[in-house]
Amino acid sequence: MAAAAATAKLQEQFDAGLQTRPDFTIDQPLARYGAVDHAVWDQLYRRQSALLAGRASDAFLSGAQSLGLNVAHVPSFEAVSERLMPATGWRIVAVPGLVPDRIFFEHLANRRFPVTWWMRRPDQLDYLQEPDCFHDLFGHVPLLTDPVFADAIRAYGQAALAAHARDARALTLLARLYWYTVEFGLMREAGAPHGVKIYGAGIVSSKGESLYSVESEAPNRIAFDLDRVLRTRYRIDTFQKTYFVIESFGQLFEALGEGVAARLADPAALLDGPAFGAGDVLAGDTVLTRGTGAGWLEDGDV
Ligand code: HBI
Ligand code: FE
């Protein structure tokens, strides 16, 4: 979402009386949820949980339960934070929507996850462009109960904050890394129906992609490699052409912390070289499954 559109959205919310603090946080306006909002949460939670059993990482499913997200109404962010804090020291903060990059990184670096307060409409059940409460709270927050994953996200926030201050080009690299892991990452799991389990928030909060990412023959599934990911473009308008597969959250912690911090010291080295297309398979790749490419749109990589 372009910065201008995000600012317009913030202005619209400000006008609606949602007082945004300088760090873009607000008090969760619990009174503003109507019966439709609660019904959408209930329907999405039940549908995705049923779909993800056997497809999502165990840490995700147990995290969602332990935070009390398995309720028929939009959860109270305060109640969720009260359960999350003892587990890993994280809490969630309500925001009107996408916030400026630096603000976002600053929250992550301080173990605060920004969660959009509003719920999508019933006619947006299967897809909406920007993150809503269900994407952020159901998609991103359960794994923050896992200490290693939580430390990986915090390390990413710290590395991103330092790099962002130094060189705006770092943002391209940071966005690619976040996209192919935190949003659309898979992890290897021997014995799982397809040898992989889902952990990315963009996948777990999407009905179609929860199935496509682990079962379709169309996409590539390639072993995660930090430099490879930092140079690979991605899709924001369709399912991913390629999913990168990590071995463990420990590997993710290495990549999102020291790994990316080292690369961000000299973003030009990675940005000056060629960027790979979202559907490319390279000679150096460890390919788990090579996709058929069925249904791919040619242009549109970002
Ligand atoms: N703001 N609320 C919110 N949520 C995000 O996921 C988010 C953001 N601002 C910037 C941002 N993400 C990007 O910097 C990352 O996706 C890389
Ligand atoms: Fe997200």
Side-chain angles (χ1 to χ4, degrees):
M1 187 184 197
T7 308
K9 183 95 186 173
L10 291 176
Q11 187 56 48
E12 173 194 311
Q13 307 250 349
F14 185 85
D15 297 344
L18 293 170
Q19 303 304 323
T20 309
R21 289 182 275 271
D23 64 358
F24 282 76
T25 60
I26 59 173
D27 295 330
Q28 184 189 12
L30 285 165
R32 295 175 72 112
Y33 296 120
V36 172
D37 296 310
H38 296 306
V40 169
W41 174 275
D42 179 37
Q43 187 176 359
L44 283 174
Y45 184 89
R46 284 189 291 109
R47 185 188 77 182
Q48 287 306 109
S49 305
L51 207 52
L52 292 168
R55 290 187 179 90
S57 73
D58 295 339
F60 173 83
L61 296 168
S62 58
Q65 293 272 356
S66 70
L67 293 177
L69 301 187
N70 51 333
V71 288
H73 55 79
V74 180
S76 144
F77 292 8
E78 210 168 302
V80 170
S81 292
E82 275 162 21
R83 293 185 181 204
L84 181 58
M85 184 65 84
T88 55
W90 276 74
R91 62 192 173 93
I92 63 176
V93 288
V95 291
L98 288 173
V99 302
D101 294 319
R102 190 186 58 74
I103 298 282
F104 182 67
F105 298 142
E106 201 164 54
H107 282 304
L108 299 188
N110 291 283
R111 295 195 178 96
R112 296 186 299 263
F113 196 87
V115 176
T116 301
W117 75 270
W118 50 265
M119 284 294 293
R120 69 187 71 182
R121 299 190 312 271
D123 64 294
Q124 299 172 306
L125 212 60
D126 292 339
Y127 182 73
L128 78 164
Q129 177 76 34
E130 57 181 308
D132 74 328
C133 178
F134 186 75
H135 168 84
D136 283 337
L137 183 49
F138 179 84
H140 282 286
V141 177
L143 282 179
L144 292 173
T145 59
D146 178 287
V148 181
F149 182 88
D151 282 350
I153 302 299
R154 182 179 186 236
Y156 174 85
Q158 291 171 314
L161 204 51
H164 184 265
R166 204 175 41 244
D167 185 333
R169 289 178 304 170
L171 201 65
T172 302
L173 301 175
L174 287 161
R176 288 172 180 167
L177 179 55
Y178 194 80
W179 195 266
Y180 278 120
T181 56
V182 178
E183 293 295 358
F184 292 95
L186 298 180
M187 76 192 302
R188 218 193 281 256
E189 180 151 318
H194 311 276
V196 293
K197 283 266 180 89
I198 302 165
Y199 74 92
I203 304 177
V204 295
S205 55
S206 156
K207 175 185 173 188
E209 202 145 6
S210 294
L211 293 168
Y212 177 86
S213 63
V214 292
E215 291 172 9
S216 170
E217 302 298 322
N220 305 312
R221 294 176 189 86
I222 296 173
F224 176 87
D225 174 88
L226 180 58
D227 290 311
R228 171 68 159 89
V229 164
L230 289 173
R231 294 170 63 177
T232 303
R233 299 162 70 199
Y234 54 90
R235 307 292 303 210
I236 59 172
D237 57 345
T238 65
F239 294 160
Q240 295 312 304
K241 292 182 172 179
T242 298
Y243 296 97
F244 289 96
V245 184
I246 60 171
E247 297 297 325
S248 69
F249 289 150
Q251 182 192 16
L252 190 65
F253 174 74
E254 291 304 317
L256 265 58
E258 282 172 24
V260 74
R263 271 77 173 175
L264 292 174
D266 175 20
L270 282 160
L271 288 170
D272 292 350
F276 305 125
D280 288 358
V281 176
L282 308 178
D285 287 342
T286 300
V287 180
L288 281 68
T289 53
R290 186 181 186 118
T292 62
W296 284 359
L297 303 175
E298 269 329 296
D299 58 355
D301 291 7
V302 298

